[in-house]
Amino acid sequence: MAQTYQRNASSADRLPKRAGIYCRLSYAPDGSLEKVERQEADCRDLARRLDWPVSEGHIFPDNSRSAWQKNRRRPQWDRMLQAIEDGEIDAVIVYHGDRLIRQPYDLEKLIGIAESKGVRVASPSGTRNLDSPDDRFILRIEAAQACRESDNTSRRVQRGLAARRKEGLTNVGGARPFGFGVQVGTKEKVDRETGKTVQAPVYDLTRHCLPEVRGIRGAADYLLASRNQKATVRWINERHTTTEGNPFTSKSLRNILTAPRTAGLIEHDGEFFKAAWPAALEREAWEAVRAFYAASSAASPYPGKERKYLLSGADGAECGRCEETQKEAGTPRKEIRPSFMRTKPSGGRNRKSARIYYCPDCKGVGRNTALLDGYVEGRTVALLNDERFLGQLNSAPDQPDLTTELLTLEQRKAELTHQVENLADHPNVRPELAFAALASFDTKITEIRSRIATTAEDRLLARVAGITPERWKDLPLDTRAATVRALFRVVVLPTRMRGPGFDTSSVRLERRRPGGR
């Protein structure tokens, strides 16, 4: 803006009646307004030199707002355009041209709104009249140059991030991730509330915070054993807070347990890279946690209530009567829909605290909750102490390195996906074969993740093998329910028995394999 190009002399000679000031800072992570206020002061000095009156109600500061991305939001920019369109201001003063416009489409929008209004734009390097074709021509060149510089900056940033990924590092910023960070020093930082400079800790994020890592591993074990998100959140809140000092929620805990960082990985465009920091959670356990959350989200978008009864809910005892009805109707075995038991008060003046399991579909099968729980738990503890079962559990073949196999498949799938998306650059790739290969990758990846989830059940059974009845009662209810589920499919059948006692013949416990389902 070194010169002024003006064809309309009357428009050029007149002074604006009301000028607005636009200020913008792309990045202010600490919320500081100092640099934006400095821009405003420079603009006011320019207004005094030009003898342009500044409208105090039309100062437009966009703090920590980018003008580069097409999907960015600049509320003060939008307010300024509205003020021009409504005739509230007829001039805009900016610290520098690229503070106002960094994309050609922004300039065209401004020109379209300011058309025939004689709007002037000024910066320390010169002034422009938006009604002047010559000035619009120069502004378009400057906007194109600013856009090119933004693109060049983006390329440099992307190259830097790619280099960091190769080194197993990621971009820094934000709160310290839970489980990582050992303080190695301090740095000065502006406090958002007081505006004062304070000493903030500096962390080495490639090193474990050991107490928090134990919390991550404990939460993962508890979740996989209990299959209950709310109970797991309660468990970790009794021991830890987030790195910002807040209680965990279902969402915040899920974000930590499923984050690639937790498994010692970096994710980019769906592809995983080995990170420079050690994993806080073994890859197999991490995959099992991700599989649980994926299945849970598919079944229900909510974390679910905390478990109160051993065999209730969508993974508990099933109604044998509903199963037989479907079989008699000719339903194929694989298509039979299980009817899971629920609980309710049993009723009666002398049984106010008693409850029963019942089938909500046929309403023809029910059992006393305490008696059915006692029978199933007794059979479970007996099996966990059976020598033959322990021998089968101990002799189960070791799983191969599933995590390495999974990582290799994911990387190969990502490479093939990239080739499919850029077929013009890979003329030797046949699309029909590539799509078939992608489907094959999906099948194999799903299979391995299922095997990893089964391995998590194996670990649970190994922990409770040989347990005594006394220790069994001390286990959390969620852990006992997960153990029963790993060992048995509980099917409750109709019974003709009436009066006291429990008909064990009307309960079918179908053994699952020793290592899980």
Side-chain angles (χ1 to χ4, degrees), residues 209-223:
C209 174
L210 294 179
E212 293 176 355
V213 167
R214 286 192 288 269
I216 289 175
R217 293 170 180 170
D221 285 344
Y222 195 96
L223 179 69

Side-chain angles (χ1 to χ4, degrees), residues 317-431:
E318 302 175 27
C319 175
R321 181 180 182 182
C322 289
E323 180 180 320
E324 290 300 323
T325 300
Q326 294 180 72
K327 287 181 180 179
E328 291 172 0
T331 305
R333 184 174 182 82
K334 291 184 178 180
E335 297 179 13
I336 291 178
R337 183 181 61 85
S339 296
F340 293 103
M341 309 287 281
R342 297 181 184 176
T343 70
K344 66 177 182 179
S346 61
R349 289 183 301 173
N350 299 323
R351 297 180 294 174
K352 294 181 179 180
S353 62
R355 299 186 70 87
I356 62 170
Y357 289 111
Y358 76 101
C359 176
D361 295 327
C362 71
K363 298 180 176 60
V365 175
R367 288 295 180 281
N368 179 277
T369 301
L371 295 178
L372 181 58
D373 285 354
Y375 173 68
V376 172
E377 289 189 277
R379 289 281 301 274
T380 300
V381 173
L383 181 59
L384 290 172
N385 286 273
D386 183 82
E387 292 184 4
R388 188 168 145 191
F389 168 78
L390 295 175
Q392 292 173 337
L393 189 62
N394 293 330
S395 63
D398 292 334
Q399 291 280 9
D401 189 356
L402 297 176
T403 57
T404 300
E405 186 177 354
L406 180 62
L407 183 58
T408 301
L409 285 174
E410 287 174 337
Q411 291 175 343
R412 289 172 59 191
K413 178 187 173 183
E415 292 169 1
L416 184 57
T417 301
H418 178 75
Q419 292 178 358
V420 170
E421 292 173 348
N422 301 273
L423 283 175
D425 299 329
H426 302 278
N428 296 327
V429 176
R430 294 176 58 183

Side-chain angles (χ1 to χ4, degrees), residues 1 46 50 52 92-95 120-128:
M1 296 184 182
L46 177 59
L50 295 174
W52 287 11
V92 178
I93 304 173
V94 293
Y95 172 74
R120 309 277 290 282
V121 177
S123 73
S125 56
T127 63
R128 301 283 182 222

Side-chain angles (χ1 to χ4, degrees), residues 233-493:
V233 171
R234 178 169 54 82
W235 181 91
I236 198 168
N237 276 330
E238 291 172 353
R239 294 159 176 81
H240 298 279
T241 62
T242 67
T243 56
E244 295 179 321
N246 300 318
F248 282 93
T249 63
S250 295
K251 182 178 179 180
S252 61
L253 180 59
R254 174 177 182 159
N255 289 342
I256 290 171
L257 293 180
T258 60
R261 165 180 277 277
T262 301
L265 300 171
I266 296 173
E267 183 179 12
H268 179 68
D269 290 340
E271 185 177 355
F272 290 113
F273 301 85
K274 186 173 178 57
W277 53 83
L281 197 60
E282 291 182 2
R283 180 71 187 271
E284 287 187 0
W286 181 72
E287 287 289 353
V289 167
R290 290 212 308 169
F292 165 79
Y293 277 119
S296 178
S297 297
S300 171
Y302 305 104
K305 296 181 180 179
E306 192 168 343
R307 179 181 292 276
K308 294 182 178 180
Y309 305 99
L310 183 74
L311 301 173
S312 63
D315 56 359
E318 302 175 27
C319 175
R321 181 180 182 182
C322 289
E323 180 180 320
E324 290 300 323
T325 300
Q326 294 180 72
K327 287 181 180 179
E328 291 172 0
T331 305
R333 184 174 182 82
K334 291 184 178 180
E335 297 179 13
I336 291 178
R337 183 181 61 85
S339 296
F340 293 103
M341 309 287 281
R342 297 181 184 176
T343 70
K344 66 177 182 179
S346 61
R349 289 183 301 173
N350 299 323
R351 297 180 294 174
K352 294 181 179 180
S353 62
R355 299 186 70 87
I356 62 170
Y357 289 111
Y358 76 101
C359 176
D361 295 327
C362 71
K363 298 180 176 60
V365 175
R367 288 295 180 281
N368 179 277
T369 301
L371 295 178
L372 181 58
D373 285 354
Y375 173 68
V376 172
E377 289 189 277
R379 289 281 301 274
T380 300
V381 173
L383 181 59
L384 290 172
N385 286 273
D386 183 82
E387 292 184 4
R388 188 168 145 191
F389 168 78
L390 295 175
Q392 292 173 337
L393 189 62
N394 293 330
S395 63
D398 292 334
Q399 291 280 9
D401 189 356
L402 297 176
T403 57
T404 300
E405 186 177 354
L406 180 62
L407 183 58
T408 301
L409 285 174
E410 287 174 337
Q411 291 175 343
R412 289 172 59 191
K413 178 187 173 183
E415 292 169 1
L416 184 57
T417 301
H418 178 75
Q419 292 178 358
V420 170
E421 292 173 348
N422 301 273
L423 283 175
D425 299 329
H426 302 278
N428 296 327
V429 176
R430 294 176 58 183
E432 66 276 11
L433 296 180
F435 286 120
L438 284 175
S440 176
F441 278 131
D442 287 337
T443 300
K444 291 179 180 177
I445 288 172
T446 301
E447 178 188 347
I448 291 177
R449 283 180 172 161
S450 176
R451 290 163 62 190
I452 288 175
T454 300
T455 302
E457 285 188 344
D458 292 345
R459 288 199 294 266
L460 169 62
L461 294 179
R463 287 200 300 270
V464 296
I467 194 169
T468 64
E470 292 75 23
R471 285 183 53 214
W472 171 264
K473 292 179 181 179
D474 291 336
L475 291 177
L477 179 60
D478 296 301
T479 304
R480 285 182 278 151
T483 305
V484 171
R485 183 178 58 249
L487 292 174
F488 296 113
R489 175 174 174 252
V490 181
V491 181
V492 182
L493 306 169

Side-chain angles (χ1 to χ4, degrees), residues 156-171:
R156 289 193 295 269
V157 170
Q158 292 301 321
R159 283 198 298 269
L161 292 177
R164 288 181 64 83
R165 283 195 299 271
K166 288 183 179 179
E167 296 173 1
L169 300 171
T170 185
N171 52 321

